[in-house]
Amino acid sequence: MIYHCIRFTVKPNVAEEEKEAALAQMREHINAIPAIEARIVGPDFGGEFDYGAVSVLADLDSYEDYMNHPAHLAMDRVGLPLVDKFVSYDIADDPDPEVGRKIADIHRRRFENVPDIAELVADVGEYSGSAAPGRHGQPRPTATPDLT
């Protein structure tokens, strides 16, 4: 099992209606993304973050399906512009000593293959997590010119 956890703060200028709409969309992931075994979204207590979410995924294949599912990409496109500070981390019971690298590779491939998501993550005020792109870690993907 992999528990994919995120914690985030919302930019101070975000309207309450916009924030609530994004949180509602996050809650719907459980119905929209078959790879999710369980999901919780809500206020984050006891720390410096406003909200958090945990998605439970069976294995690395499910994790990759989740990360690249159209509903997840749509949520990123709506939600990331509202985020000021973001952290993601994963807890796995997989005995494979390479599971952390494999999770980071899923993120790296995702950022390479979906450059607008990499840009949105790179533009978050503070971001830490697997294979963070841009100024937060990994280089931003660059467009490859079509030479045909």
Side-chain angles (χ1 to χ4, degrees):
M1 299 298 285
I2 301 170
Y3 285 68
H4 176 65
C5 310
I6 65 170
R7 302 171 81 192
F8 59 95
T9 60
V10 178
K11 291 177 182 174
N13 62 337
V14 172
E16 189 66 25
E17 301 80 31
E18 192 174 16
K19 177 180 72 176
E20 289 304 321
L23 290 167
Q25 188 175 354
M26 285 180 72
R27 290 182 185 101
E28 283 303 310
H29 276 174
I30 189 73
N31 300 316
I33 304 175
I36 298 175
E37 305 267 331
R39 172 106 168 153
I40 185 170
V41 175
D44 185 312
F45 300 104
E48 61 193 86
F49 296 94
D50 300 327
Y51 297 96
V54 178
S55 298
V56 181
L57 305 148
D59 53 29
L60 286 167
D61 289 336
S62 296
Y63 190 96
E64 189 154 21
D65 290 347
Y66 165 72
M67 281 294 157
N68 293 293
H69 191 281
H72 188 262
L73 297 174
M75 179 67 250
D76 282 348
R77 290 179 179 117
V78 168
L80 286 171
L82 312 180
V83 172
D84 186 41
K85 186 175 182 179
F86 185 95
V87 63
S88 80
Y89 59 95
D90 300 289
I91 302 168
D93 65 357
D94 189 322
D96 179 356
E98 294 292 311
V99 72
R101 181 195 54 77
K102 291 175 181 178
I103 288 171
D105 285 346
I106 290 169
H107 286 276
R108 182 189 46 74
R109 285 191 303 273
R110 177 176 182 249
F111 293 141
E112 286 173 358
N113 295 328
V114 192
D116 71 301
I117 299 297
E119 287 290 325
L120 290 171
V121 171
D123 289 340
V124 168
E126 290 182 45
Y127 176 93
S128 63
S130 298
R135 63 189 166 87
H136 306 296
Q138 303 296 316
R140 289 185 188 200
T142 57
T144 305
D146 183 6
L147 301 175
T148 59

